[in-house]
Amino acid sequence: MHCTRKITDDLVWIGGSDRKLSLFEAVYPVPSGVSYNSYLLKDDKTVLFDTVDNAIGALFFDNLAYELGGRALDYVVVQHMEPDHSATLWQLLALHPETKVVTSAKALTMITQFFSALPAERVVTIKESDTLETGRHTLSFVAAPMVHWPEVMMTYDTTDKVLFTADAFGTFGALDGAIFADEVDFERDYLDEARRYYCNIVGKYGPQVQTVLKKAAGLDIAYICPLHGFVWRTELDSIIGKYDLWSRYEPEENGVLIAYTSVYGDTQTAAELAAVKLREKGLKVKMFDASMTHTSYIVAETFRFSHIIFATTTYNNGIFIKMEELLHDLVAHNFCNKTVGIIENGSWAPQPAKLIREMLVGCKDVTLLDEQVTLKSSMKEQNEAELDILVDRIAADFAKPAHTNSDNDSAVDNAALFKISYGLYVLTAKDGDRDNGCIINTAQLLTDTPRRITIAVNKKNLTHDMVLKTGRFNISVLTDKSKFSMFKDMGFVSGHNEEKIADKPIDIERSSNGLVYLTENVNAFISGKVIETYDYGTHTLFVAEVTEARIIGDDDSVTYDYYQKHIKPKPAPTKKKGFICTVCGYIYEGETLPPDFECPLCGHGAADFEPLA
Ligand code: FEO
């Protein structure tokens, strides 16, 4: 009987899950099982992307027969020759003598090693950037060596923008009927297992993953289809962003992971006391007993946290075996970019601190703290003093340096922020029959391929609400010929109080999306369709796909700096005491400006005022 899921009109998932497996790769516990994904493309030609582990072979062949519906299988693309994706390859080729194997030269060598040599007429050897036409679809191949083996090749379907990623972007865990990541609460239920999968399976090869991520950045990707776990069709940036962090060995969280081993409980007491003291300093802490928790879970958490404390006992004149095993595993997985503290115990000859330092001294960007704690059997007062010094040292890393202390207003000179080359734009939107617009200085190109822009809009603006509701907007790029009157009309009054488009003397046209754009003193307009929003308190950041963009003039774009110097009227000399809005020129009279004051003309806050000269 078959059990398949449709991915796109032409693509179907024909894999399955294994919940009987205890140890994936004979090493990693998989209490929630694991999936082996295989995909069938049904075009003029039929193309299978990898086979599966023997554990689900029977279901896989039923799925394949059902989805082929009597058609021949023209190609099997072998992206990765590790047997969890290739164990059933030879059986497949026996069942389908018509099928050609599309694969890299390295994978072909491995096919011969795992099985036997294939006749030349059954092989299509491909390399980076080669393409395969299957009818409506064109497949392009992307070399991904060492993600996770050297032969790995990813495949990009240029027609439906599907990237088949082999092991990358996979996760431990059975699928439970879902196939798309957006069908589950991925962050709550699967992210930890995705991290454990990545860090333990591919974590050693961060630079190689970075290389592939750079290649992927040049592709327009609508679907990510890995060989384990879920297909991504929404929020691709979230999983790609995690892979970027993990492969750069950047911590996801500032906090302290404490991994300890303790034969009789005294080292654990020291570790617990360290945790309490760190918590009292307001730091996040996670603890593992390395004798009780499988190393793979701790390896994953070391990728996650910025600081690590190893607490362990002496054993056979060395490091306690379970801690030594963990440390070996960490070094094997390219342990780097961490700050490490050590708590050691030894009743007559403590050894771990010296030996841990020797093991980690060659790890890149690892700071081994001099501050350490040495117990002789159990915690004593002098040990607590050592512990306090270690905790203080770690906590010092999390203290905000004075020049970034946001509580200190004098540390932020607005003039410095204005040196960023902001442009100025009229943002327009339409809700029903009502057009509206406002001035923004926060538009920028986010990515070139695909073309995406961002805008940040104050929530007080009616235009903000319209964009949020309709998901569409235009920005008109203002030039250095812009008149101050236009800024007043569009920026210093609110659409909540008056008509800003219909009742103002501005020249407009409508773009393909039906929204207005300005045509006077504007050199271009860009239409955006919102794909993501981020709430930043006073403002919403909109990420949008560019749906139309046209040049409509030759004058230079105006910058915020130019506006300040040449367009905004200079205030008349005055003896009055007060503050002037640097955005619109409104003057507040008084000795002091209330910190919550908002400009009644343009709505900007006290931070945008400066004292009258
Ligand atoms: Fe899922 Fe590297 O095999």
Side-chain angles (χ1 to χ4, degrees), residues 40 48 154 172 176-177 206 261 319 355 362 394 407 440 471 492 550 590:
L40 180 68
L48 181 68
M154 296 182 180
F172 290 136
D176 299 353
T261 56
I319 304 170
L355 298 173
I394 291 173
D407 298 327
I440 60 169
F492 298 172
R550 305 208 181 276

Side-chain angles (χ1 to χ4, degrees), residues 357-368:
R357 288 178 191 283
E358 286 172 8
M359 288 181 77
L360 301 184
V361 72
C363 295
K364 190 166 176 250
D365 296 330
V366 168
T367 303
L368 293 161

Side-chain angles (χ1 to χ4, degrees), residues 91 228 270 363 370 499 503 521 566:
Q91 190 180 348
H228 303 284
C363 295
D370 292 332
E499 283 286 349
D503 294 350
N521 299 325
H566 303 292

Side-chain angles (χ1 to χ4, degrees), residues 285-303:
V285 177
K286 191 149 187 182
M287 293 184 76
F288 288 100
D289 183 334
S291 292
M292 303 303 294
T293 302
H294 190 273
T295 301
S296 63
Y297 292 90
I298 308 176
V299 168
E301 293 298 318
T302 62
F303 271 70

Side-chain angles (χ1 to χ4, degrees), residues 329-493:
D329 216 15
L330 287 171
V331 172
H333 285 88
N334 207 12
F335 184 73
C336 60
N337 198 26
K338 303 290 170 197
T339 299
V340 172
I342 301 171
I343 299 171
E344 65 173 352
N345 196 351
S347 292
W348 59 94
Q351 293 293 334
K354 175 171 95 52
L355 298 173
I356 291 173
R357 288 178 191 283
E358 286 172 8
M359 288 181 77
L360 301 184
V361 72
C363 295
K364 190 166 176 250
D365 296 330
V366 168
T367 303
L368 293 161
L369 297 177
D370 292 332
E371 297 83 356
Q372 70 177 50
V373 181
T374 298
L375 276 62
K376 287 283 190 77
S377 303
S378 66
M379 280 288 292
K380 295 289 185 292
E381 271 183 28
Q382 78 267 18
N383 297 130
E384 185 166 6
E386 291 171 351
L387 196 54
D388 284 332
I389 292 169
L390 174 61
V391 166
D392 286 346
R393 169 63 187 81
I394 291 173
D397 280 355
F398 298 96
K400 287 181 184 171
H403 65 275
T404 62
N405 187 345
S406 61
D407 298 327
N408 177 6
D409 283 340
S410 64
V412 178
D413 182 346
N414 280 336
L417 299 180
F418 296 154
K419 293 298 180 192
I420 299 173
S421 183
Y422 306 103
L424 284 163
Y425 314 89
V426 174
L427 170 72
T428 45
K430 185 167 186 269
D431 183 13
D433 294 332
R434 175 86 191 271
D435 292 301
N436 200 56
C438 64
I439 302 283
I440 60 169
N441 63 350
T442 50
Q444 66 174 14
L445 186 65
L446 177 66
T447 59
D448 183 47
T449 310
R451 288 197 182 85
R452 288 179 182 148
I453 58 173
T454 59
I455 56 170
V457 190
N458 193 313
K459 290 178 179 175
K460 288 180 182 165
N461 292 335
L462 177 63
T463 319
H464 166 276
D465 299 346
M466 289 178 160
V467 176
L468 195 62
K469 181 178 175 187
T470 64
R472 294 185 184 277
F473 63 83
N474 282 350
I475 56 170
S476 303
V477 182
L478 296 171
T479 72
D480 55 8
K481 303 294 186 297
S482 299
K483 306 280 190 301
F484 184 65
S485 59
M486 195 281 307
F487 287 95
K488 279 176 71 179
D489 288 344
M490 298 303 297
F492 298 172
V493 293

Side-chain angles (χ1 to χ4, degrees), residues 273-286 391:
L273 194 53
V276 166
K277 289 175 182 290
L278 289 162
R279 288 280 186 188
E280 285 174 350
K281 299 271 184 191
L283 305 187
K284 183 165 185 176
V285 177
K286 191 149 187 182
V391 166

Side-chain angles (χ1 to χ4, degrees), residues 207-361:
Q208 289 86 345
V209 173
Q210 277 289 304
T211 301
V212 170
L213 289 177
K214 287 189 177 77
K215 292 182 189 179
L219 301 174
D220 183 6
I221 304 170
Y223 297 85
I224 290 175
C225 290
L227 289 177
H228 303 284
F230 299 102
V231 171
W232 290 82
R233 63 179 174 182
T234 61
E235 299 180 18
L236 274 58
D237 289 346
S238 66
I239 191 68
I240 292 172
K242 290 293 183 192
Y243 263 63
D244 184 41
L245 269 185
W246 297 335
S247 57
R248 286 188 289 112
Y249 302 97
E250 289 289 335
E252 283 171 81
E253 297 197 42
N254 283 331
V256 185
L257 171 77
I258 302 177
Y260 71 91
T261 56
S262 186
V263 180
Y264 296 110
D266 293 298
T267 313
Q268 178 179 350
T269 300
E272 300 278 14
L273 194 53
V276 166
K277 289 175 182 290
L278 289 162
R279 288 280 186 188
E280 285 174 350
K281 299 271 184 191
L283 305 187
K284 183 165 185 176
V285 177
K286 191 149 187 182
M287 293 184 76
F288 288 100
D289 183 334
S291 292
M292 303 303 294
T293 302
H294 190 273
T295 301
S296 63
Y297 292 90
I298 308 176
V299 168
E301 293 298 318
T302 62
F303 271 70
R304 183 174 178 176
F305 284 100
S306 56
H307 289 61
I308 320 288
I309 292 177
F310 296 110
T312 190
T313 47
T314 308
Y315 205 76
N316 288 334
N317 204 32
I319 304 170
F320 183 75
I321 187 165
K322 286 294 186 181
M323 179 58 72
E324 190 173 38
E325 188 180 301
L326 170 64
L327 290 160
H328 274 300
D329 216 15
L330 287 171
V331 172
H333 285 88
N334 207 12
F335 184 73
C336 60
N337 198 26
K338 303 290 170 197
T339 299
V340 172
I342 301 171
I343 299 171
E344 65 173 352
N345 196 351
S347 292
W348 59 94
Q351 293 293 334
K354 175 171 95 52
L355 298 173
I356 291 173
R357 288 178 191 283
E358 286 172 8
M359 288 181 77
L360 301 184
V361 72

